[in-house]
Amino acid sequence: MKSIFDEFTYKEVVERFNQLSPESEGSWGKMSVGQMLWHCQIFVKAAIKNKKYDKRGNPIIRWFFKKSMYSDKPWRKNLPTTPFAKAKEEKEFEVEHKKLLELINELYALRDRTDWNAHPIFGDFTPEQWGKLEYKHLDHHLRQFGV
């Protein structure tokens, strides 16, 4: 399984995001490319901030889905997202693209961090699992937009 903390994979992800344009259209889902870029930022920020959360999410959701978060099997199309990660209005491509690439760079720079707090929904992850999860989420949306 690929990890965003691997140099080759990190460079591949950045290159793929640079293939997007304001005209990129998703092959599934309802998000525009600008909304997708904004959406991805939320989860990269969660990893970077390494914040402690009072709640650990729904234990049933964790039990059913946690292993799929960092497994080799691609996520299926049209997965629902948590309401706080849904863009309610259109987002400007150039602004969101720049912000996301900066966050991906910042996340990669933290690749040697050993102290990671729990994911706000899925609970505890090892550093290796965090790297795989972040790659898998970004890859899912890049595939959604055909890159």
Side-chain angles (χ1 to χ4, degrees), residues 6-127:
D6 170 72
E7 183 180 8
F8 179 80
T9 301
Y10 154 74
K11 288 178 179 178
E12 171 203 319
V13 166
V14 169
E15 183 179 311
R16 289 169 67 195
F17 270 106
N18 283 331
Q19 292 175 30
L20 294 170
S21 74
E23 291 77 33
S24 297
E25 291 187 26
S27 57
W28 73 78
K30 298 177 182 175
M31 286 190 275
S32 70
V33 68
Q35 290 171 323
M36 177 273 289
L37 294 167
W38 177 88
H39 164 86
C40 288
Q41 291 173 44
I42 292 169
F43 298 99
V44 175
K45 284 178 192 175
I48 290 170
K49 289 182 180 181
N50 201 30
K51 181 179 172 184
K52 285 193 182 227
Y53 293 91
D54 293 335
K55 295 182 179 180
R56 293 286 182 104
N58 183 319
I60 295 170
I61 290 173
R62 269 200 321 267
W63 188 79
F64 276 113
F65 297 108
K66 185 175 178 181
K67 285 186 180 179
S68 74
M69 296 295 104
Y70 53 84
S71 75
D72 287 329
K73 185 177 178 185
W75 293 346
R76 68 176 175 82
K77 298 174 182 178
N78 295 311
L79 284 173
T81 192
T82 184
F84 73 82
K86 290 182 182 178
K88 297 182 181 22
E89 66 276 335
E90 191 51 54
K91 301 293 180 180
E92 187 178 331
F93 174 86
E94 296 298 334
V95 170
E96 304 306 332
H97 186 264
K98 181 180 178 194
K99 285 181 187 177
L100 181 58
L101 288 178
E102 288 171 356
L103 288 168
I104 291 170
N105 291 335
E106 186 176 350
L107 180 63
Y108 178 72
L110 295 170
R111 66 192 172 278
D112 294 325
R113 180 168 71 184
T114 57
D115 185 27
W116 292 81
N117 283 315
H119 187 278
I121 298 170
F122 297 106
D124 294 323
F125 285 127
T126 65

Side-chain angles (χ1 to χ4, degrees), residues 123-141:
D124 294 323
F125 285 127
T126 65
E128 179 183 14
Q129 290 168 334
W130 267 108
K132 290 177 179 180
L133 170 64
E134 292 297 329
Y135 168 76
K136 192 161 185 179
H137 184 237
L138 296 170
D139 176 68
H140 173 76
H141 288 294

